[in-house]
Coordinates of all heavy atoms in Angstrom, one line a residue:
N1371 N -116.4 136.4 60.3 CA -115.1 136.3 59.8 C -114.4 135.0 60.2 O -113.2 135.0 60.6 CB -114.3 137.5 60.3 CG -112.9 137.7 59.6 OD1 -112.8 137.4 58.4 ND2 -111.9 138.2 60.2
S1372 N -115.2 133.9 60.2 CA -114.7 132.6 60.7 C -115.1 131.5 59.7 O -116.2 131.6 59.0 CB -115.2 132.3 62.0 OG -114.9 133.3 63.0
L1373 N -114.3 130.5 59.7 CA -114.6 129.3 58.9 C -114.7 128.1 59.9 O -114.1 128.1 61.0 CB -113.5 128.9 58.0 CG -113.3 129.8 56.7 CD1 -112.2 129.2 55.9 CD2 -114.6 129.7 55.9
L1374 N -115.4 127.1 59.5 CA -115.5 125.8 60.2 C -115.3 124.8 59.1 O -116.0 124.8 58.1 CB -116.8 125.6 61.0 CG -116.9 124.4 61.8 CD1 -117.8 124.6 63.0 CD2 -117.4 123.2 61.0
A1375 N -114.4 123.9 59.3 CA -114.2 122.8 58.3 C -114.3 121.4 59.0 O -113.9 121.3 60.1 CB -112.8 122.9 57.7
V1376 N -114.9 120.5 58.3 CA -115.0 119.1 58.7 C -114.0 118.3 57.8 O -114.2 118.2 56.6 CB -116.4 118.6 58.5 CG1 -116.5 117.2 59.0 CG2 -117.4 119.5 59.3
S1377 N -113.0 117.8 58.5 CA -111.8 117.2 57.8 C -112.1 115.8 57.4 O -111.5 115.3 56.4 CB -110.6 117.3 58.6 OG -110.7 116.5 59.8
G1378 N -112.8 115.1 58.2 CA -112.8 113.6 58.0 C -111.9 113.0 59.1 O -111.1 113.7 59.6
V1379 N -112.1 111.7 59.4 CA -111.3 111.1 60.4 C -109.9 110.7 60.0 O -109.7 110.3 58.9 CB -112.1 109.8 60.9 CG1 -111.2 109.0 61.9 CG2 -113.4 110.2 61.5
G1380 N -108.9 110.9 60.8 CA -107.6 110.5 60.6 C -106.6 111.7 60.3 O -107.0 112.7 59.9
M1381 N -105.3 111.4 60.6 CA -104.3 112.4 60.4 C -104.2 112.8 59.0 O -104.0 114.0 58.7 CB -102.9 111.9 60.9 CG -102.9 111.9 62.4 SD -101.2 111.5 63.0 CE -101.2 109.7 63.0
L1382 N -104.3 111.9 58.0 CA -104.1 112.3 56.6 C -105.3 113.2 56.2 O -105.0 114.3 55.6 CB -104.1 111.1 55.7 CG -104.0 111.3 54.2 CD1 -102.7 112.2 53.9 CD2 -104.0 110.1 53.4
S1383 N -106.5 112.9 56.5 CA -107.6 113.7 56.1 C -107.5 115.1 56.7 O -107.8 116.1 56.1 CB -109.0 113.1 56.6 OG -109.2 111.9 55.9
A1384 N -107.1 115.1 58.0 CA -107.0 116.4 58.7 C -105.9 117.2 58.1 O -106.0 118.4 57.9 CB -106.7 116.2 60.2
A1385 N -104.7 116.6 57.8 CA -103.6 117.3 57.1 C -104.0 117.9 55.8 O -103.7 119.1 55.4 CB -102.4 116.4 57.0
L1386 N -104.7 117.1 55.0 CA -105.1 117.6 53.7 C -106.2 118.7 53.8 O -106.1 119.7 53.0 CB -105.7 116.4 52.8 CG -104.7 115.4 52.4 CD1 -105.4 114.2 51.8 CD2 -103.7 116.0 51.4
C1387 N -107.1 118.6 54.7 CA -108.1 119.7 54.9 C -107.4 121.0 55.3 O -107.7 122.0 54.8 CB -109.0 119.2 56.0 SG -110.3 120.5 56.4
V1388 N -106.4 120.9 56.2 CA -105.7 122.1 56.6 C -104.9 122.7 55.4 O -105.0 123.9 55.2 CB -104.7 121.8 57.8 CG1 -103.7 122.9 58.0 CG2 -105.6 121.6 59.0
Q1389 N -104.3 121.9 54.6 CA -103.6 122.4 53.4 C -104.6 123.1 52.5 O -104.3 124.2 52.0 CB -103.0 121.2 52.6 CG -101.8 120.6 53.3 CD -100.5 121.3 53.1 OE1 -100.3 121.9 52.1 NE2 -99.6 121.3 54.1
Y1390 N -105.7 122.5 52.3 CA -106.7 123.1 51.5 C -107.2 124.5 52.0 O -107.2 125.4 51.2 CB -107.9 122.1 51.3 CG -109.0 122.6 50.5 CD1 -108.9 122.7 49.1 CD2 -110.2 123.1 51.1 CE1 -110.0 123.1 48.3 CE2 -111.3 123.5 50.3 CZ -111.1 123.6 48.9 OH -112.2 124.0 48.1
I1391 N -107.7 124.5 53.3 CA -108.2 125.8 53.7 C -107.2 126.9 53.9 O -107.5 128.0 53.7 CB -109.1 125.6 55.0 CG1 -108.3 125.2 56.2 CG2 -110.3 124.7 54.7 CD1 -109.1 125.3 57.5
V1392 N -106.0 126.5 54.3 CA -105.0 127.6 54.5 C -104.6 128.2 53.2 O -104.4 129.4 53.0 CB -103.7 127.0 55.3 CG1 -102.6 128.0 55.2 CG2 -104.1 126.7 56.7
R1393 N -104.5 127.3 52.1 CA -104.2 127.8 50.8 C -105.3 128.6 50.1 O -105.1 129.5 49.4 CB -103.7 126.7 49.9 CG -102.3 126.2 50.3 CD -101.8 125.1 49.4 NE -100.4 124.9 49.6 CZ -99.9 123.7 49.7 NH1 -100.6 122.6 49.6 NH2 -98.6 123.6 49.9
K1394 N -106.6 128.2 50.4 CA -107.7 128.8 49.8 C -108.2 130.1 50.5 O -108.7 131.0 49.9 CB -108.8 127.8 49.6 CG -110.0 128.4 48.9 CD -111.0 127.3 48.4 CE -112.1 128.0 47.6 NZ -112.9 127.1 46.9
F1395 N -108.1 130.1 51.8 CA -108.6 131.2 52.6 C -107.5 131.9 53.4 O -106.5 131.3 53.6 CB -109.7 130.7 53.6 CG -110.8 130.0 52.9 CD1 -110.8 128.6 52.8 CD2 -111.9 130.7 52.4 CE1 -111.9 127.9 52.2 CE2 -112.9 130.0 51.7 CZ -112.9 128.6 51.6
D1396 N -107.7 133.1 53.8 CA -106.7 133.8 54.5 C -106.9 133.5 56.0 O -107.5 134.3 56.8 CB -106.9 135.3 54.3 CG -105.8 136.2 55.0 OD1 -104.7 135.7 55.2 OD2 -106.1 137.4 55.2
I1397 N -106.3 132.4 56.4 CA -106.4 131.9 57.8 C -105.3 132.5 58.7 O -104.1 132.3 58.4 CB -106.4 130.4 57.9 CG1 -107.4 129.8 56.9 CG2 -106.5 129.9 59.3 CD1 -108.8 130.1 57.3
S1398 N -105.7 133.1 59.8 CA -104.7 133.7 60.7 C -104.6 133.0 62.0 O -103.5 133.0 62.7 CB -105.0 135.2 60.9 OG -106.3 135.3 61.5
E1399 N -105.7 132.3 62.4 CA -105.7 131.5 63.6 C -106.5 130.3 63.4 O -107.5 130.3 62.6 CB -106.4 132.3 64.8 CG -105.7 133.5 65.2 CD -106.4 134.2 66.4 OE1 -106.6 133.6 67.4 OE2 -106.9 135.4 66.1
M1400 N -106.1 129.2 64.1 CA -106.8 127.9 63.9 C -107.0 127.2 65.2 O -106.1 127.2 66.1 CB -106.0 127.0 63.0 CG -106.8 125.8 62.5 SD -105.9 124.8 61.3 CE -105.9 126.0 59.9
L1401 N -108.2 126.6 65.3 CA -108.5 125.7 66.5 C -108.9 124.4 66.0 O -109.7 124.2 65.1 CB -109.7 126.4 67.2 CG -110.3 125.5 68.4 CD1 -109.4 125.5 69.6 CD2 -111.7 126.0 68.8
N1402 N -108.3 123.3 66.6 CA -108.8 122.0 66.4 C -109.6 121.6 67.7 O -109.1 121.6 68.8 CB -107.6 121.0 66.3 CG -108.0 119.6 66.3 OD1 -107.5 118.8 67.1 ND2 -109.0 119.2 65.5
A1403 N -110.9 121.3 67.4 CA -111.8 121.0 68.5 C -112.4 119.6 68.2 O -112.6 119.3 67.0 CB -112.9 122.0 68.7
G1404 N -112.8 118.9 69.2 CA -113.4 117.6 69.0 C -113.3 116.7 70.2 O -112.9 117.1 71.3
A1405 N -113.6 115.4 69.9 CA -113.6 114.4 71.0 C -112.2 113.7 71.1 O -111.4 113.8 70.2 CB -114.6 113.3 70.6
C1406 N -112.0 113.2 72.3 CA -110.7 112.5 72.5 C -111.0 111.3 73.5 O -112.0 111.4 74.2 CB -109.6 113.4 73.0 SG -109.8 114.0 74.7
G1407 N -110.1 110.4 73.6 CA -110.2 109.3 74.6 C -109.3 109.6 75.7 O -108.2 110.3 75.6
I1408 N -109.7 109.2 76.9 CA -108.9 109.4 78.1 C -107.9 108.1 78.2 O -108.4 107.0 78.1 CB -109.8 109.4 79.4 CG1 -110.7 110.6 79.3 CG2 -108.9 109.5 80.6 CD1 -111.8 110.6 80.4
L1409 N -106.7 108.4 78.4 CA -105.7 107.3 78.5 C -105.4 106.9 79.9 O -105.0 105.7 80.2 CB -104.4 107.7 77.8 CG -104.6 107.8 76.3 CD1 -103.3 108.4 75.7 CD2 -105.0 106.5 75.6
G1410 N -105.4 107.8 80.9 CA -105.0 107.5 82.2 C -106.2 107.8 83.2 O -107.3 107.6 83.0
K1411 N -105.8 108.5 84.2 CA -106.7 108.9 85.3 C -107.1 110.4 85.3 O -107.7 110.8 86.2 CB -106.2 108.4 86.6 CG -105.9 107.0 86.8 CD -105.5 106.6 88.1 CE -105.0 105.2 88.3 NZ -105.8 104.1 87.8

C-alpha cells in the first residue's frame, strides 16, 4: 500500500512530481528521503 516516486533534481521537478502523485493516487502520508550536504559542524 505504498508508492515510491523519483522526482528528478530540483525544487520544480519535486513540486511537479508531488502535484502529480497526490492528484493521481490517494496519498495520506509522504516522506522525502535522500542525500544532503552538511553546512556546518
Side-chain angles (χ1 to χ4, degrees):
N1371 193 31
S1372 300
L1373 287 179
L1374 183 149
V1376 179
S1377 67
V1379 175
M1381 285 189 275
L1382 179 59
S1383 293
L1386 291 172
C1387 180
V1388 165
Q1389 290 279 326
Y1390 179 75
I1391 67 167
V1392 168
R1393 288 186 168 134
K1394 184 164 183 170
F1395 303 98
D1396 184 26
I1397 306 298
S1398 59
E1399 293 179 65
M1400 189 174 294
L1401 172 72
N1402 170 232
C1406 71
I1408 300 170
L1409 294 173
K1411 298 183 187 316

